[in-house]
Amino acid sequence: MPTPDFVLELRQKIGTAPISLVGVTAVVFRDEKVLIGRRADNGRLQCVSGIVDPGEEPADAAVRECWEEAGVVVRAERLALVHTIPRVTYANGDEVDYLDLVFRCAWVSGEPHPADGELTEVRFRGLEELGDLDPDHVRRIALALPEDDPARFEGGRPPS
């Protein structure tokens, strides 16, 4: 699914001005491998990600995105990272500031395949096969790898 309807409706009112959206990244593990896909829009390798719909629980969004983009059923196990992504400017000029919530997820069922056109390929890769992965996604995987670590977050320091 490309841009959600609520974002398109908002864009009709504000044009390409910067907006803040909540996004999710699902770091999905199956045995000793992690689910990786190649984006159709820019060809980059990354974990499954997407936008949280209004009223949707972020963990549910991570699970939904895995089904929509990769055709796999997953279970969100823990929050691994809360961080902001530097402003993204899309080819059409739309600007977005994402608050990204990274979830460690466990594969439940289904064989990965490009399900909705957002990914051109998707498969489980061993941790040693991440060489051409976006470096920020390597960091997300590293923080999601432990099964019981507390969530990491950026900032939170008192003003100087």
Side-chain angles (χ1 to χ4, degrees):
M1 173 184 291
T3 307
D5 289 340
F6 81 93
V7 174
L8 295 175
E9 290 169 14
L10 185 57
R11 287 290 180 204
Q12 289 177 351
K13 296 179 172 105
I14 67 163
T16 62
I19 58 172
S20 293
L21 294 174
V22 177
V24 292
T25 298
V27 181
V28 181
F29 293 99
R30 179 180 182 182
D31 302 318
E32 300 297 318
K33 296 185 176 188
V34 64
L35 186 66
I36 302 295
R38 185 173 303 280
R39 292 178 56 109
D41 60 351
N42 61 22
R44 291 187 182 141
L45 289 174
Q46 67 175 55
C47 300
V48 172
S49 62
I51 297 171
V52 178
D53 289 336
E56 184 178 33
E57 289 291 337
D60 292 338
V63 169
R64 173 182 54 77
E65 290 290 346
C66 288
W67 175 250
E68 289 177 357
E69 293 184 10
V72 295
V73 176
V74 305
R75 177 181 63 255
E77 295 183 317
R78 75 172 180 89
L79 181 63
L81 174 65
V82 177
H83 67 136
T84 57
I85 297 172
R87 180 167 290 161
V88 176
T89 302
Y90 292 97
N92 66 358
D94 288 353
E95 294 181 294
V96 180
D97 296 321
Y98 287 103
L99 171 66
D100 183 45
L101 306 173
V102 178
F103 289 91
R104 176 191 168 89
C105 298
W107 172 85
V108 174
S109 65
E111 289 306 315
H113 63 278
D116 70 356
E118 286 194 47
L119 302 174
T120 59
E121 62 182 77
V122 60
R123 69 181 175 94
F124 284 97
R125 291 178 175 230
L127 295 176
E128 70 284 353
E129 299 178 80
L130 303 179
D132 52 349
L133 189 67
D134 180 299
D136 189 52
H137 281 262
V138 172
R139 177 175 178 253
R140 295 176 204 184
I141 292 168
L143 292 171
L145 193 55
E147 292 183 24
D148 58 0
D149 277 4
R152 289 271 316 258
F153 59 91
E154 308 296 325
R157 291 163 188 77
S160 33

